[in-house]
Amino acid sequence: MPDRIDLNVGEWRRVSPKYVLVVIASTVISGLVLSAGSLFLWLAGRWSLGWLLLAVVVVITIVALIIAPRRARSIGYRLRDDDLLFRRGIMFQRFVSVPYGRMQLIDINRGPVSRMLGLADLKFVTAAASTGVMVPGLPEPDAAELRDRLVELAESRRAGL
């Protein structure tokens, strides 16, 4: 039987603490849009349960804002000998191992809030569509350096070196 991955061995690298602001901004914008839709259904659409939907949206938004810092701190990655190990989640943790030799595309994305904070998201695409992994909230220089390192590792693994 193959050895299991020991998730406690080695140091996990975390995303920038500034990423919490990106999560908060995203949550606030989503909450405002959903609240506006609920308010419209309640007042303009004359839907009698619109107030209940509005209350649910507000409560969910407040809870999401409260747990935003913890959600951001739960994200991490670790470079190992043969793969990149990625984790995220509080209650439902997700661990993804992306072998270097399977990486086909490594992309850097920056949204408007991330760009203002000097952050970037690093996205990995492999042959399997379901393994799209994204490490959000990296400082831009770190994201570029990690991208270059991963491209180098991916090319060497595909070449069999």
Side-chain angles (χ1 to χ4, degrees):
M1 182 156 85
D3 293 334
R4 290 192 161 203
I5 297 173
D6 189 356
L7 301 173
N8 297 318
V9 173
E11 180 182 344
W12 287 95
R13 297 181 189 180
R14 292 190 173 170
V15 298
S16 171
K18 291 193 248 178
Y19 182 65
V20 173
L21 298 174
V22 176
V23 174
I24 288 172
S26 173
T27 302
V28 167
I29 291 169
S30 299
L32 288 174
V33 169
L34 292 173
S35 294
S38 302
L39 199 58
F40 177 79
L41 288 174
W42 182 25
L43 299 176
R46 307 251 184 243
W47 186 44
S48 61
L49 294 178
W51 67 271
L52 183 61
L53 181 60
L54 178 61
V56 168
V57 167
V58 168
V59 167
I60 290 173
T61 301
I62 290 170
V63 169
L65 288 171
I66 291 170
I67 65 171
R70 178 68 182 102
R71 277 183 34 216
R73 284 193 307 267
S74 73
I75 300 169
Y77 68 95
R78 190 166 72 203
L79 296 174
R80 300 186 318 157
D81 291 339
D82 297 319
D83 60 359
L84 175 124
L85 193 58
F86 174 76
R87 73 168 187 204
R88 83 174 322 143
I90 301 171
M91 269 181 53
F92 301 98
Q93 292 185 332
R94 177 181 184 206
F95 293 90
V96 179
S97 172
V98 184
Y100 299 130
R102 301 283 174 117
M103 292 181 186
Q104 294 181 339
L105 174 70
I106 303 168
D107 190 18
I108 293 179
N109 297 314
R110 297 182 328 229
V113 177
S114 295
R115 201 170 33 248
M116 286 186 332
L117 296 170
L119 302 177
D121 302 336
L122 203 61
K123 182 179 178 184
F124 311 98
V125 178
T126 64
S130 64
T131 60
V133 173
M134 185 176 71
V135 179
L138 296 173
E140 287 183 31
D142 293 353
E145 181 182 321
L146 182 58
R147 179 202 55 210
D148 295 344
R149 175 77 175 125
L150 291 172
V151 166
E152 178 185 307
L153 287 167
E155 287 175 351
S156 69
R157 295 305 190 274
R158 279 196 300 266
L161 299 176

